[in-house]
Amino acid sequence: GLAAAGALAATAAAPPAAPGPVPVPVFVARRETDVLVAGAGTGGAVAAVAAAENGARVLCLDLMPFAGGVGSGGGINGYCKGAPGGLFEQIDQRARQLCSLFGAGRPAGGWHHETKKLAFAERFAAAGVEFAGDTLVFDVETEGRRVVAVHASTPAGPVRIAAGAFVDGSGDADLCRRAGAACQGGRPGDGAVLTFSQVAGRTVRGKDGAIGMGSVNYDAGHVDPTDPEDFSRGRVHGVAQFLRERYAPDSRLYYLAPVIGLRQSVHVRSDRDVTVADLVQQRRFPDTIGPTLSFLDTHAIDFEFDDDEVVFWLWVCRNFRGELVSDLPYRMLLPESLDNVWVGCRAAGMSTAAAYSLRMERDIQRLGEAAGTAAALAVAARCTARRIDVAELQKRLRATGSINQVQAAVLPTVAEGLAALRAGEPNGALWPVYASRAETEGDMLRLLAEGGGQSSWLAACILAMWGEPRAEARLLQAIADREAGPEPGPAAVGAFGQRIVVPNWLTAIVLLRCCGTARCLPVLAGVAAEPALILNVRTALALTLERLLARCPDLPRGEALRLADRLVADEPPDRVCKPSRSLDLLLKGEPQLKLGNDIGSDVREDHGWQLHAVVARIRRSLGAPADELVKPWLADAHATVRRPFLPLLK
């Protein structure tokens, strides 16, 4: 094995490296295998099992000494959404059976955090997967479009491992990025990915008074998963949030998850990146590897930083809980520039926004199974990832239940969407109206002409999404009247019960970036001049101004600069705040909700960087200096904060 090679390595410490090229590592061992799985996390562990059970010799590496990712090491020991069915169901069943070894008390459908480790260890042994923990891939060798070997750091020293096929199960596209594959990630407005969690187990008192096991999972902050120093900072920060002077007898900690809960990272550019439109419209693909079933579970509230369709779905349709069902195409596993690599983890091909939904453990395990099975087929047939027999892959995935029919809500029709519009009811039925411009534009213009009311408001929102300037007047009316809109229904409740709606007038500010003209600038400037504006009204104004400058060549540059400067002339009253909060309640001056996962940890951070980054970009685009906004943030401890300011350096 890998560890045994250490007996051949010199034990003397290496001298300090001299400046110059990085030396070629002296390998303590050279290995070969059919399929190399880099990362035994949520998807990678299943990929290793699938490849081995389909006849391949498999070597699986991970930095942790166990397999399973957040389901075994991250404390996420149950499922939120995601489509059922597949190889992972068998592993979960065994994990639940093993719960008796650690006592009862796990929730229905969940498992003890140690039992999934044991279930994977058993399955690895039965399938013949060779697992090497405490091992990290740090480099790759390529020949053209093929990866031929990885270099891995082990306790014994560096090891070279050659293989015919590679599955990137790292979660962060570590193997693909080192092989030169193009990646994307982060929201368009600020580059941020979803918040991370640091799960802890704690004792809880049941209704019968008995003490049992529970856990807590909340948004601990932001971290850049691809930056090792920032990743470490996040881990320390997350653990420190649990420190208390005293713990109540029935809520003591008994476990701190050894892996932080990373919800999102970068995504490899694939042959077919899945989009929000694919999910909403229930797209079907001939090369399906199974279904996804979820919702846009963002854990965020500042959707002005997201792309336009996220704003439409969450703030116009008010449909946070709207069910999203789609096929997953085999092509999303294939990096554009590589022929023998599959992405079997959350870094697979999807847009940043689509990942809000397509990130659930079930979905990622399904991707892992397909990646591992396909890699084994490619090795057996001595072919590339794009030449495998997809029909045979689908046959094998059906045999495990990974490809199956998920019971989904019937997709709304255009007629149902028009009926919702006429009734002034925001819901997911508005999407087919938006997606069918040729059929519905006349109806939208007629509803817009009717004047006030929710029908004309929703019609204006759809017209704005099309970039239609005739929507501008109705949006400006909503701002002038401080139009609130209807009270939210249950579909507008966010993660952990957060109230995520915003009033119509704030949505109007955001949508003007799609359709506004120079005529809207005085109205935006009037809002910017109001005292004590909260942070997210300012960021909404700044992001809209940035888009208007790019869209409207006749926008008065001097007025635009004055508007931008007004946004940072004083401090927002809520600049230091929690990542999850209700903007609607904040605007109304009402108390924030106490969410079900709030255990009193202080998760406030300075979010002023988001505003300063946008205003700095605006100033640079107008030829004005921005150093005063840029330089203070370059020393921030958070890599996610520093990153958007780096391109703004002179």
Side-chain angles (χ1 to χ4, degrees):
L2 296 179
L8 304 177
T11 58
V22 177
V24 175
V26 177
F27 298 112
V28 300
R30 295 175 182 266
R31 297 287 308 279
E32 290 186 5
T33 189
D34 292 335
V35 177
L36 187 286
V37 180
T42 305
V46 178
V49 173
E53 293 184 351
N54 280 279
R57 291 180 301 143
V58 179
L59 178 54
C60 182
L61 316 177
D62 199 90
L63 185 59
M64 301 303 292
F66 54 81
V70 295
S72 60
I76 310 298
N77 307 132
Y79 296 130
C80 173
K81 294 289 284 188
L87 184 60
F88 70 86
E89 299 275 18
Q90 302 169 21
I91 297 165
D92 290 345
Q93 182 180 8
R94 180 57 176 155
R96 295 184 187 102
Q97 290 173 349
L98 292 168
C99 280
S100 61
L101 298 175
F102 297 90
R106 299 306 301 154
W111 53 84
H112 190 281
H113 54 271
E114 296 292 346
T115 63
K116 198 154 186 174
K117 297 177 188 177
L118 294 173
F120 269 119
E122 276 190 342
R123 197 65 175 252
F124 278 12
V129 174
E130 183 180 352
F131 175 67
D134 300 313
T135 300
L136 177 70
V137 172
F138 67 86
D139 203 1
V140 301
E141 295 178 25
T142 60
E143 292 180 358
R145 293 174 54 90
R146 292 182 60 84
V147 173
V148 296
V150 301
H151 302 172
S153 173
T154 78
V159 175
R160 182 185 187 272
I161 307 167
F166 297 82
V167 175
D168 191 330
S170 67
D172 304 317
D174 289 346
L175 186 149
C176 289
R177 287 187 290 119
R178 284 162 177 77
C183 295
Q184 60 191 358
R187 302 187 298 186
D190 61 359
V193 296
L194 295 177
T195 54
F196 75 91
S197 65
Q198 170 59 67
V199 175
R202 60 173 182 166
T203 54
V204 294
R205 189 178 298 278
K207 293 180 179 179
D208 59 356
I211 296 293
M213 296 186 298
S215 65
V216 60
N217 169 20
Y218 60 86
D219 300 322
H222 287 90
V223 69
D224 180 354
T226 67
D227 184 312
E229 291 184 3
D230 199 51
F231 183 89
S232 300
R233 177 203 57 78
R235 165 69 174 173
V236 172
H237 181 72
V239 170
Q241 289 175 355
F242 287 99
L243 294 177
R244 300 286 188 276
E245 291 292 332
R246 181 176 300 172
Y247 296 91
D250 58 353
S251 61
R252 298 183 188 278
L253 300 183
Y254 67 86
Y255 165 72
L256 280 170
V259 177
I260 63 175
L262 295 173
R263 296 186 173 99
Q264 189 176 36
S265 185
V266 297
H267 302 286
V268 176
R269 293 191 183 275
S270 72
D271 286 6
R272 179 55 164 89
D273 293 345
V274 177
T275 67
V276 169
D278 293 329
L279 301 176
V280 173
Q281 295 169 204
Q282 300 184 8
R283 195 84 69 196
R284 298 290 177 248
F285 295 103
D287 61 340
T288 180
I289 53 174
T292 178
L293 168 64
S294 192
F295 59 103
L296 285 191
D297 188 15
T298 73
H299 286 241
I301 49 86
D302 48 359
F303 304 127
E304 70 270 22
F305 289 99
D306 271 296
D307 64 41
D308 299 336
E309 289 190 339
V310 173
V311 171
F312 182 72
W313 185 250
L314 297 178
W315 274 350
V316 176
C317 299
R318 298 189 173 192
N319 203 32
F320 183 87
R321 297 286 171 181
E323 192 171 77
L324 302 175
V325 179
S326 169
D327 280 353
L328 301 174
Y330 171 63
R331 289 163 290 164
M332 73 182 294
L333 306 179
L334 309 182
E336 287 179 333
S337 59
L338 300 172
D339 283 343
N340 66 332
V341 177
W342 292 258
V343 187
C345 61
R346 64 170 178 262
M350 63 191 87
S351 70
T352 294
Y356 300 158
S357 174
L358 211 177
R359 64 178 181 83
M360 303 300 178
E361 286 181 82
R362 286 186 173 112
D363 290 333
I364 304 307
Q365 290 174 116
R366 173 169 279 104
L367 298 183
E369 180 180 349
T373 304
L377 290 174
V379 167
R382 298 180 179 274
C383 68
T384 67
R386 292 168 182 82
R387 295 289 185 180
I388 69 162
D389 185 341
V390 174
E392 177 63 22
L393 170 65
Q394 292 172 325
K395 176 183 175 182
R396 298 190 185 197
L397 295 178
R398 287 191 183 93
T400 66
S402 191
I403 293 180
N404 63 82
Q405 292 297 319
V406 172
Q407 188 66 35
V410 177
L411 193 66
T413 64
V414 171
E416 290 170 332
L418 290 172
L421 270 160
R422 295 188 182 101
E425 297 175 355
N427 57 49
L430 303 183
W431 188 283
V433 178
Y434 155 65
S436 307
R437 181 174 184 177
E439 181 181 350
T440 61
E441 185 170 4
D443 292 286
M444 296 305 97
L445 292 172
R446 282 189 290 274
L447 287 170
L448 180 70
E450 293 176 1
Q454 282 298 296
S455 294
S456 67
W457 160 254
L458 295 174
C461 291
I462 291 174
L463 289 163
M465 289 291 294
W466 294 335
E468 173 54 64
R470 282 176 285 186
E472 183 180 42
R474 180 64 180 88
L475 299 181
L476 293 176
Q477 176 191 340
I479 297 170
D481 296 344
R482 287 297 191 270
E483 186 175 316
E487 284 297 302
V493 176
F496 300 114
Q498 185 61 275
R499 181 186 175 109
I500 65 167
V501 297
V502 297
N504 287 359
W505 65 265
L506 184 52
T507 302
I509 289 174
V510 176
L511 289 180
L512 281 169
R513 71 193 191 189
C514 303
C515 69
T517 69
R519 293 191 299 272
C520 73
L521 197 59
V523 175
L524 298 179
V527 177
E530 295 176 7
L533 284 181
I534 69 168
L535 176 65
N536 290 94
V537 174
R538 300 184 196 219
T539 53
L541 287 164
L543 288 161
T544 292
L545 178 61
E546 184 179 32
R547 288 273 291 274
L548 289 174
L549 284 165
R551 288 182 55 253
C552 306
D554 61 336
L555 203 72
R557 268 29 187 181
E559 292 181 28
L561 183 57
R562 285 191 290 275
L563 194 165
D565 286 346
R566 177 66 192 87
L567 296 173
V568 293
D570 61 347
E571 297 293 340
D574 61 326
R575 174 171 160 168
V576 178
C577 54
K578 295 180 179 180
S580 181
R581 59 201 184 280
S582 169
L583 303 182
D584 187 46
L585 294 174
L586 191 60
L587 288 165
K588 292 176 177 176
E590 297 179 9
Q592 292 289 316
L593 302 173
K594 182 175 173 59
L595 304 183
N597 65 332
D598 185 351
I599 63 167
S601 294
D602 187 358
V603 296
R604 293 175 299 168
E605 293 181 347
D606 186 348
H607 288 257
W609 67 272
Q610 294 175 297
L611 176 61
H612 287 189
V614 184
V615 173
R617 294 198 303 257
I618 292 171
R619 288 187 63 84
R620 281 288 162 83
S621 72
L622 294 172
D627 287 358
E628 290 186 5
L629 294 171
V630 172
K631 288 183 177 179
W633 297 107
L634 295 176
D636 195 273
H638 299 71
T640 51
V641 172
R642 299 191 301 270
R643 190 190 311 113
F645 292 96
L646 294 175
L648 299 173
L649 289 171
K650 287 185 178 179

